[in-house]
Amino acid sequence: MTAPEPGRGRATRLAPPERHRSQVVDFFRIDAPSNHRLFSRGALSPAVAILAVMIFTLAGLVIDGGRQLGARSRAVGYAQEAARAGAAAIQLNVAEAKIDTTKAATAIAAFCAQVRSNDPAVTACGPTTLTDEQVDIQVDIANKTTFLGLIGKQSLKAIGTGQAHAEQGIKKADDSPTIPPIAVQSTPDDPGAPITTAVPPTIDLPCPTWTIGSPTPIWTLDPIPFPATCTPNVTPTPEPPSTSPTDTPPISPPSSSPSSR
């Protein structure tokens, strides 16, 4: 009589969901006791590998993304300058401002050749629209990646566009703005008013001071004339009489003698 095979004739016992969950968690833990037999020779936790990939991807987005923004800025600058170079070729024998397409194409080609020689990352540079009214330029730059190359993205393409057109200043004679007349009310005292008699300016100078009876002082403010209204204004001080001492005694007047009768 054979023994019944395990699992037949009786219901199998299922493990609780908590046990399955713990086994999944232990699988991702390198230090779990159940993994010592499986990874006894050394192993890398899948979480570390996934985290490393995420870190490198984030670094690629930051570093390579910043370089991509710089490359796009350069492409836009090249495109705008090429458009200006093309729009500067104006037809001189027409009444309105028109672009000379032949000269514009030559100027754009020369500018793009100089850009490619200075910046090897430029892969395309040329006009997309070239008419006598407008010039559109597109510039492509291949930006090599550093960290995104680990996930297979070896380069990023930066596209810049520029546009320029010929601007007409005044198309007709009546397009210029009208300036209203300026009314000025003048008076006889205004600068520039006509005068009949030249009047010298009045100069207020102080008169010199000198003593009455003395000669007129020398006037040093040449070429200004000496003021005619200036007169001596200092009265001389009278000096007291001076007596000199002598050795001769004073002579008294002679006395009259009585007459004899």
Side-chain angles (χ1 to χ4, degrees):
M1 192 172 173
T2 59
E5 296 181 1
R8 289 187 178 183
R10 60 179 178 178
T12 57
R13 185 178 181 182
L14 300 178
E18 291 80 4
R19 184 176 180 182
H20 286 288
R21 189 179 301 110
S22 62
Q23 291 178 356
V24 173
V25 174
D26 291 343
F27 177 78
F28 283 98
R29 290 181 55 187
I30 195 65
D31 58 344
S34 60
N35 292 337
H36 289 173
R37 182 175 56 83
L38 298 177
F39 307 106
S40 58
R41 296 184 179 180
L44 180 64
S45 175
V48 176
I50 295 173
L51 185 61
V53 173
M54 293 177 59
I55 291 175
F56 279 103
T57 304
L58 184 61
L61 293 176
V62 173
I63 298 176
D64 294 333
R67 292 180 180 178
Q68 178 69 7
L69 293 177
R72 186 178 183 279
S73 178
R74 295 203 324 269
V76 171
Y78 294 153
Q80 291 179 351
E81 292 299 328
R84 292 190 187 99
I90 302 297
Q91 299 180 16
L92 302 178
N93 55 352
V94 293
E96 297 182 359
K98 299 292 183 180
I99 299 175
D100 191 342
T101 56
T102 303
K103 295 181 179 179
T106 304
I108 294 172
F111 183 85
C112 289
Q114 184 178 2
V115 167
R116 288 182 176 179
S117 62
N118 295 335
D119 194 348
V122 176
T123 57
C125 177
T128 57
T129 302
L130 180 56
T131 62
D132 57 354
E133 295 182 355
Q134 183 175 327
V135 177
D136 293 341
I137 305 295
Q138 179 175 334
V139 176
D140 299 343
I141 294 180
N143 183 27
K144 294 183 178 180
T145 60
T146 302
F147 288 95
L148 293 181
L150 300 176
I151 59 175
K153 197 66 175 178
Q154 300 297 332
S155 64
L156 298 175
K157 183 179 180 180
I159 301 176
T161 58
Q163 184 182 89
H165 61 277
E167 184 69 23
Q168 180 72 27
I170 298 176
K171 296 182 179 180
K172 300 179 182 179
D174 55 355
D175 286 349
S176 59
T178 303
I179 301 176
I182 301 175
V184 179
Q185 296 179 358
S186 60
T187 61
D189 297 335
D190 289 343
I195 56 176
T196 56
T197 305
V199 179
T202 303
I203 302 176
D204 188 10
L205 294 175
C207 291
T209 302
W210 77 95
T211 308
I212 298 176
S214 299
T216 304
I218 300 175
W219 187 250
T220 58
L221 299 179
D222 192 41
I224 301 174
F226 187 83
T229 57
C230 294
T231 57
N233 52 5
V234 178
T235 304
T237 304
E239 298 180 358
S242 60
T243 57
S244 60
T246 58
D247 297 337
T248 305
I251 302 175
S252 60
S255 61
S256 61
S257 59
S259 60
S260 59
R261 291 184 180 179

